[in-house]
Amino acid sequence: MNEYGPRIIAIPNTIYEKYKNYTVVVAVLPTITKGEIIEKLRNSMSVTVCDYIECYPLLFGGIFVFLDDKVLTRYEFEGYVRIDQQKYDEFNINDFVREKCYTFEKETLCFTKSKCNNCIPIDNVGLRFII
């Protein structure tokens, strides 16, 4: 709480996938308003409370690709993502992001522009707050 009232902060949920030295983080809806990272941001009002891989997708939304711990690129994809157990083509940075499925170390992420069963909307906005 500040002198003007409560700090209301909402951030997207995130899906993390790894492939070799790459980390792909997809910001998805619905947003969340409670949790450890929200408390850190709310109390400090500074992004220095978390690292790039943790904070950037929350702040800016979209799809982030990190190489080791450095930001490689950010994509905006107007559509949906679905977690799939079936194996498809392995993740390839040169072929990413298209309307298709990519297999990572643990799971497969399928990107589509059309709503489907078990699809999650991608959040290209990121942090929302009212002070």
Side-chain angles (χ1 to χ4, degrees):
M1 180 96 90
N2 66 20
E3 61 196 304
Y4 304 107
R7 294 180 182 147
I8 301 169
I9 297 176
I11 57 174
N13 277 301
T14 50
I15 298 171
Y16 288 82
E17 289 296 335
K18 292 206 50 81
Y19 183 79
K20 297 182 180 173
N21 291 357
Y22 294 100
T23 302
V24 174
V25 185
V26 183
V28 296
L29 295 172
T31 58
I32 56 175
T33 58
K34 295 182 191 299
E36 182 181 339
I37 190 68
I38 289 177
E39 288 306 313
K40 285 181 185 178
L41 291 169
R42 182 180 289 132
N43 293 329
S44 71
M45 294 305 283
S46 171
V47 297
T48 60
V49 297
C50 53
D51 64 25
Y52 294 124
I53 293 176
E54 183 180 37
C55 262
Y56 273 33
L58 303 177
L59 297 175
F60 302 111
I63 303 166
F64 273 84
V65 179
F66 297 90
L67 180 57
D68 296 320
D69 61 347
K70 307 281 189 273
V71 176
L72 185 61
T73 190
R74 176 186 176 269
Y75 297 99
E76 286 195 9
F77 186 83
E78 298 293 329
Y80 303 85
V81 63
R82 181 183 84 242
I83 299 172
D84 199 314
Q85 302 305 317
Q86 189 173 337
K87 298 288 184 200
Y88 291 88
D89 293 338
E90 291 183 349
F91 169 76
N92 179 341
I93 188 64
N94 297 322
D95 187 30
F96 195 67
V97 152
R98 294 206 170 99
E99 198 169 0
K100 65 181 270 187
C101 298
Y102 302 91
T103 297
F104 294 88
E105 290 175 5
K106 292 185 179 177
E107 297 177 306
T108 297
L109 297 182
C110 296
F111 296 89
T112 179
K113 300 211 182 245
S114 305
K115 188 168 172 102
C116 60
N117 288 340
N118 301 321
C119 284
I120 306 165
I122 294 173
D123 179 358
N124 290 309
V125 175
L127 175 71
R128 296 138 169 99
F129 66 94
I130 301 171
I131 296 180

